[in-house]
Amino acid sequence: MDASKAAPAKQVSSVLDATAEEEYASLSKLLQDFTNISSIDKAWTFNSGNGNGTQAMFSISQPNLLANKRKKFMLSTVISKENENSVTFQWAPFPVEMTGASAVVPSPSGSKLLVVRNPENESPIQFELWSQSQLEKEFHVPQTVHGSVYADGWFEGISWNSDETLIAYVAEEPSPSKPTFSLGSTKGGSSDKDCNSWKGQGDWEEDWGETYAGKRQPSLFVININSGEVQAVKGIPKSLSVGQVVWAPLNEGLHQYLVFVGWSSETRKLGIKYCYNRPCALYAVRVSLYKSEASELELKESSSEDLPVVNLTESISSAFFPRFSPDGKFLVFLSAKSSVDSGAHSATDSLHRIDWPTNGNFSSLEKIVDVIPVVQCAEGDCFPGLYSSSILSNPWLSDGCTMLLSSIWGSSQVIISVNVSSGELLRITPAESNFSWSLLTLDGDNIIAVSSSPVDVPQVKYGYFVDKANKGTWSWLNVSSPISRCPEKVKSLLSSRQFSIMKIPVKGVSANLTKGAQKPFEAIFVSSSHKKDCSCDPLIVVLHGGPHSVSLSSYSKSLAFLSSVGYSLLIVNYRGSLGFGEEALQSLPGKVGSQDVNDVLTAIDHVIDMGLANPSKVTVVGGSHGGFLTTHLIGQAPDKFVAAAARNPLCNLALMVGTTDIPDWCYVESYGSKGKDSFTESPSVEDLTRFHSKSPISHISKVKTPTIFLLGAQDLRVPVSNGLQYARALREKGVETKVIVFPNDVHGIERPQSDFESFLNIGLWFKKYCK
């Protein structure tokens, strides 16, 4: 080769490397700006005591990239409602970091604050009791009594009793003793007494799968906050894992009851994270008390024979999130019975009520009353059914029978009010708003909420009755908050974006589809608000997991970042998603890999036909079942996509069924609801054949799309072998492939550094192929 011709090639290579490095640095800096925006997780309100407004406390979190953890803060404010149209929040000058706090729970009166600190080793669990001015008491509970307190939002239950002397909570049962093996006896007086022996492992015990790896059985305990005495609650069968405990109203005499959720596991414990199809029930157990010399209620030692556990909800297959009415006359709870009965891991919820026997006579329990039944198919844009992932500890308005809930309504989250006596249900967030709303806490009969959109960072809102006689009429005030501030660069980029929620008609409607499955599904479209001359931004198709989950019209740091660097987003809520009625949801099991794939292709064609997307610059990203769809799409429509990104994708059901914590999912989604009954730990040849035919790997011979894989090595839901097998097969075919494995991440890949690296690389990967 001529040397004079070789030099320019070297120069070009150098320029390209420098350009790529500059692009990497630029995107990295921008993503850091997005990452630094705080999230509002919880809030509590407290009466000031002097009649001058309310005090509130906000729990905030923020990713800390250097520490690779989420930092937690508390920020306080004083709320003054000057008139009907004005409210003022006077914020503390700085937040206070809650280092090492696993749970923070104010007492009912607001005069005390419990802070629980779980250790990262075998140290004791710390219980701190704070007053307004100081740390009043601190108790250290050794792990011989119990392990870490559950603070995960599902098994989690921490409840103060009415006179604020006892706290019931859920914690890991103590470590079982392990066998000791010895090579011989040691000499007396030797300080090196373990040199000839070691601890064995003992019997292996099932855990609850993804995110619960290594965690022991959740059990119920009560601590006396005067003495620090801790007692395990007796009488609960070993086969029950317990959670979500609450104190029942005081009964006559010195018998008080705890109500909790119990999940039975006499055989295998299947994964429970995101899986509402695990049968559960509400139980009551009696805690015996006695009056001390100081006339305070104290725990009384009792034998388990004295304390039989009562199943309060035997006639229904699912009951969780128990809440007592303010007067203690009835107990309200959510149910996922449609999920349990069908086998779908999540489906349409229902709300129920039982009258509480104030005399403790559970034999007189009335039947369970349906407050909000499962909605099969909503008419028009009417209430599509209840989809609620949590309930406030105190969700009640002052009338004592109206509770407030956040619920999914189509592609948005809204706040609804429910009269649990009459069943009257109202949407109280603005019907004209496409934003998503999350209920934080109540201030009397007023509401503190958070509102956001794909192009608007979360903002605090204050809601109040316009007319108390007409409870459906609410007004919402904007609250200036330091929590909502974001860098000017981010603000400027987001201000140039817009979003809409599209209705996409179903293609190829057949007569055997239910009415709900024939209705249009939805997609959220995010694009530039500035018109361009005859050109469209490259398109990223975004696919949620589940499949029975939903992408909400709320703010997502990762998607806002991708949009801000010059992409339109098509966020598809294909049929089977939450928020659209039970018939639409149940139309997908048995048809995964076909119906959901076709819905996504229909949505892409819809925006292309509208002139909103360039067909030569379409990319796709998804995680879990969204990764299943991503890898299906690049196989079934190999000419449609210029690049793809898959996060912990499900690529081979036949491989997954023997390695996942939810093998039953493979049966239900492949066969439909009948798969619930045919599920076995030993799949037949016919089963494995069907699983393979439903899997993306069955279309791998057609794939030519460059694909990046982001995989968590500790994933128990879709083990890392699934993505690696598919990625290796692509490399065998010569398809350009990039794989990043995060050694300490589980299914969600949510550790701050891993999340950051994932979306930075996705942004760079798509940019490479969309030039």
Side-chain angles (χ1 to χ4, degrees):
M1 181 183 284
D2 190 326
S4 63
K5 292 181 179 177
K10 188 174 181 182
Q11 281 181 331
V12 169
S13 175
S14 175
V15 169
L16 284 174
D17 289 347
T19 303
E21 194 171 311
E22 187 178 324
E23 191 169 66
Y24 184 94
S26 172
L27 283 184
S28 179
K29 174 65 175 69
L30 180 61
L31 183 51
Q32 285 177 52
D33 285 343
F34 277 95
T35 299
N36 286 335
I37 298 171
S38 299
S39 302
I40 305 171
D41 302 325
K42 292 181 181 179
W44 302 269
T45 54
F46 310 89
N47 292 325
S48 61
N50 55 17
N52 297 326
T54 309
Q55 293 178 327
M57 194 166 67
F58 286 74
S59 174
I60 310 159
S61 61
Q62 178 187 24
N64 183 334
L65 287 170
L66 288 178
N68 203 17
K69 292 182 178 179
R70 289 192 73 85
K71 277 190 177 290
K72 295 181 181 179
F73 307 88
M74 286 291 180
L75 185 61
S76 298
T77 186
V78 176
I79 304 170
S80 303
K81 198 162 187 294
E82 295 159 7
N83 54 55
E84 281 301 308
N85 301 312
S86 176
V87 65
T88 302
F89 280 55
Q90 296 172 310
W91 297 93
F94 297 102
V96 177
E97 186 178 359
M98 300 295 290
T99 307
S102 303
V104 177
V105 186
S107 65
S109 69
S111 63
K112 299 183 182 78
L113 184 71
L114 170 69
V115 177
V116 179
R117 300 184 192 277
N118 287 326
E120 293 185 356
N121 47 37
E122 293 302 308
S123 301
I125 292 82
Q126 298 176 33
F127 289 80
E128 298 172 0
L129 291 159
W130 293 81
S131 67
Q132 285 189 321
S133 60
Q134 63 190 24
L135 175 64
E136 299 239 322
K137 290 180 180 177
E138 182 173 349
F139 302 113
H140 290 200
V141 180
Q143 299 217 13
T144 52
V145 176
H146 62 66
S148 293
V149 173
Y150 270 89
D152 65 311
W154 188 235
F155 288 119
E156 176 183 347
I158 302 174
S159 179
W160 293 78
N161 72 338
S162 57
D163 69 356
E164 302 185 355
T165 58
L166 303 171
I167 298 172
Y169 59 94
V170 178
E172 292 182 64
E173 65 179 12
S175 293
S177 58
K178 294 188 174 181
T180 300
F181 298 93
S182 177
L183 295 177
S185 59
T186 57
K187 293 181 180 178
S190 169
S191 59
D192 197 16
K193 59 182 179 181
D194 290 326
C195 63
N196 290 316
S197 64
W198 69 94
K199 289 285 186 185
Q201 295 304 311
D203 291 351
W204 173 75
E205 287 193 20
E206 293 269 9
D207 54 37
W208 283 105
E210 175 68 17
T211 74
Y212 292 109
K215 290 188 76 67
R216 301 189 297 276
Q217 177 102 351
S219 299
L220 205 49
F221 298 86
V222 175
I223 185 170
N224 182 316
I225 67 167
N226 294 318
S227 64
E229 176 194 9
V230 174
Q231 282 191 20
V233 176
K234 297 190 172 109
I236 300 173
K238 174 71 176 168
S239 60
L240 279 186
S241 291
V242 307
Q244 304 178 16
V245 63
V246 294
W247 288 95
L250 269 172
N251 284 322
E252 301 157 5
L254 292 176
H255 296 312
Q256 189 159 7
Y257 285 86
L258 291 169
V259 172
F260 62 90
V261 183
W263 292 266
S264 182
S265 55
E266 291 178 354
T267 53
R268 176 179 175 179
K269 289 181 184 173
L270 294 165
I272 203 168
K273 183 76 169 181
Y274 313 120
C275 293
Y276 295 88
N277 57 334
R278 309 300 176 218
C280 56
L282 296 187
Y283 295 85
V285 63
R286 195 176 78 204
V287 178
S288 290
L289 310 170
Y290 70 92
K291 280 201 173 175
S292 66
E293 292 178 7
S295 293
E296 292 179 341
L297 293 177
E298 301 274 359
L299 288 167
K300 180 181 176 184
E301 279 283 1
S302 301
S303 66
S304 58
E305 289 79 15
D306 298 334
L307 308 170
V309 172
V310 179
N311 186 333
L312 303 172
T313 56
E314 282 186 292
S315 63
I316 194 168
S317 57
S318 168
F320 53 95
F321 291 149
R323 297 292 184 267
F324 282 96
S325 60
D327 61 9
K329 289 184 178 176
F330 48 79
L331 175 62
V332 177
F333 61 92
L334 279 179
S335 175
K337 62 186 177 68
S338 56
S339 184
V340 173
D341 298 347
S342 69
H345 71 89
S346 187
T348 313
D349 295 327
S350 49
L351 185 72
H352 305 270
R353 184 189 84 231
I354 53 179
D355 295 330
W356 184 253
T358 52
N359 61 359
N361 180 10
F362 294 105
S363 61
S364 64
L365 270 178
E366 298 291 328
K367 69 171 186 174
I368 295 171
V369 177
D370 296 345
V371 178
I372 303 177
V374 171
V375 174
Q376 295 296 326
C377 177
E379 293 297 328
D381 292 322
C382 294
F383 176 63
L386 187 62
Y387 303 89
S388 193
S389 59
S390 64
I391 302 181
L392 295 181
S393 57
N394 180 16
W396 304 98
L397 296 182
S398 60
D399 64 4
C401 61
T402 300
M403 70 187 307
L404 301 184
L405 297 164
S406 295
S407 184
I408 299 164
W409 194 310
S411 296
S412 299
Q413 184 167 263
V414 304
I415 300 173
I416 60 174
S417 68
V418 183
N419 184 309
V420 298
S421 295
S422 67
E424 181 187 20
L425 183 149
L426 299 168
R427 174 176 175 168
I428 63 175
T429 42
E432 68 278 5
S433 170
N434 278 336
F435 283 46
S436 278
W437 297 68
S438 179
L439 177 63
L440 282 178
T441 189
L442 301 182
D443 176 19
D445 277 341
N446 302 321
I447 298 172
I448 300 174
V450 172
S451 173
S452 72
S453 85
V455 298
D456 296 271
V457 298
Q459 299 285 331
V460 178
K461 301 283 187 176
Y462 192 85
Y464 64 93
F465 287 137
V466 174
D467 178 5
K468 291 204 174 187
N470 180 7
K471 291 181 181 176
T473 309
W474 287 73
S475 185
W476 295 91
L477 301 173
N478 296 322
V479 174
S480 177
S481 161
I483 312 169
S484 305
R485 291 177 192 152
C486 63
E488 285 301 319
K489 175 75 171 173
V490 170
K491 194 181 295 184
S492 172
L493 287 167
L494 291 179
S495 68
S496 69
R497 315 304 289 172
Q498 63 185 1
F499 84 100
S500 62
I501 298 177
M502 299 176 165
K503 291 197 179 294
I504 315 286
V506 173
K507 216 178 240 183
V509 173
S510 63
N512 62 350
L513 282 179
T514 59
K515 183 180 177 184
Q518 295 178 32
K519 292 180 67 175
F521 57 96
E522 289 184 355
I524 303 165
F525 187 68
V526 183
S527 62
S528 171
S529 54
H530 307 307
K531 287 191 176 180
K532 298 181 179 178
D533 298 332
C534 302
S535 65
C536 301
D537 286 333
L539 181 71
I540 302 176
V541 181
V542 181
L543 304 172
H544 67 71
H548 310 301
S549 178
V550 65
S551 290
L552 291 172
S553 62
S554 56
Y555 179 76
S556 157
K557 169 264 302 176
S558 307
L559 297 185
F561 161 72
L562 291 175
S563 173
S564 72
V565 295
Y567 295 92
S568 295
L569 307 179
L570 182 66
I571 308 166
V572 185
N573 284 322
Y574 46 86
R575 283 173 295 165
S577 302
L578 303 178
F580 299 91
E582 187 67 3
E583 286 184 352
L585 187 145
Q586 293 293 350
S587 70
L588 182 55
K591 300 176 187 173
V592 293
S594 52
Q595 178 177 293
D596 43 6
V597 169
N598 290 332
D599 282 356
V600 176
L601 292 171
T602 299
I604 296 169
D605 290 342
H606 184 82
V607 292
I608 290 173
D609 293 344
M610 291 176 70
L612 299 174
N614 181 342
S616 65
K617 290 187 178 181
V618 180
T619 65
V620 59
V621 61
S624 192
H625 189 87
F628 171 87
L629 290 176
T630 296
T631 46
H632 253 304
L633 285 159
I634 60 177
Q636 293 193 42
D639 298 314
K640 200 91 171 176
F641 305 94
V642 295
R647 304 177 81 226
N648 280 333
L650 194 181
C651 303
N652 185 351
L653 280 157
L655 174 62
M656 177 180 164
V657 73
T659 56
T660 179
D661 64 337
I662 54 165
D664 59 317
W665 183 96
C666 302
Y667 282 83
V668 171
E669 296 302 335
S670 296
Y671 286 102
S673 58
K674 64 184 179 182
K676 175 175 175 283
D677 300 319
S678 62
F679 161 58
T680 171
E681 295 282 3
S682 52
S684 65
V685 171
E686 291 75 16
D687 291 335
L688 294 173
T689 302
R690 185 174 182 90
F691 294 155
H692 183 270
S693 71
K694 292 283 183 182
S695 299
I697 205 162
S698 66
H699 299 279
I700 201 164
S701 62
K702 296 171 279 183
V703 177
K704 50 191 174 184
T705 306
T707 305
I708 182 172
F709 294 84
L710 300 312
L711 309 174
Q714 304 304 316
D715 188 351
L716 299 180
R717 185 59 40 99
V718 184
V720 67
S721 55
N722 228 271
L724 286 176
Q725 181 195 41
Y726 190 92
R728 286 174 178 139
L730 283 189
R731 282 181 174 169
E732 264 180 25
K733 285 175 39 60
V735 176
E736 190 165 356
T737 306
K738 181 180 177 73
V739 179
I740 303 175
V741 176
F742 301 98
N744 298 311
D745 277 81
V746 295
H747 192 55
I749 315 184
E750 292 170 343
R751 287 154 57 89
Q753 291 175 3
S754 308
D755 179 69
F756 183 90
E757 189 176 349
S758 291
F759 282 94
L760 178 60
N761 275 280
I762 290 170
L764 290 164
W765 188 257
F766 286 168
K767 204 151 195 173
K768 177 180 177 181
Y769 295 100
C770 286
K771 286 180 179 176

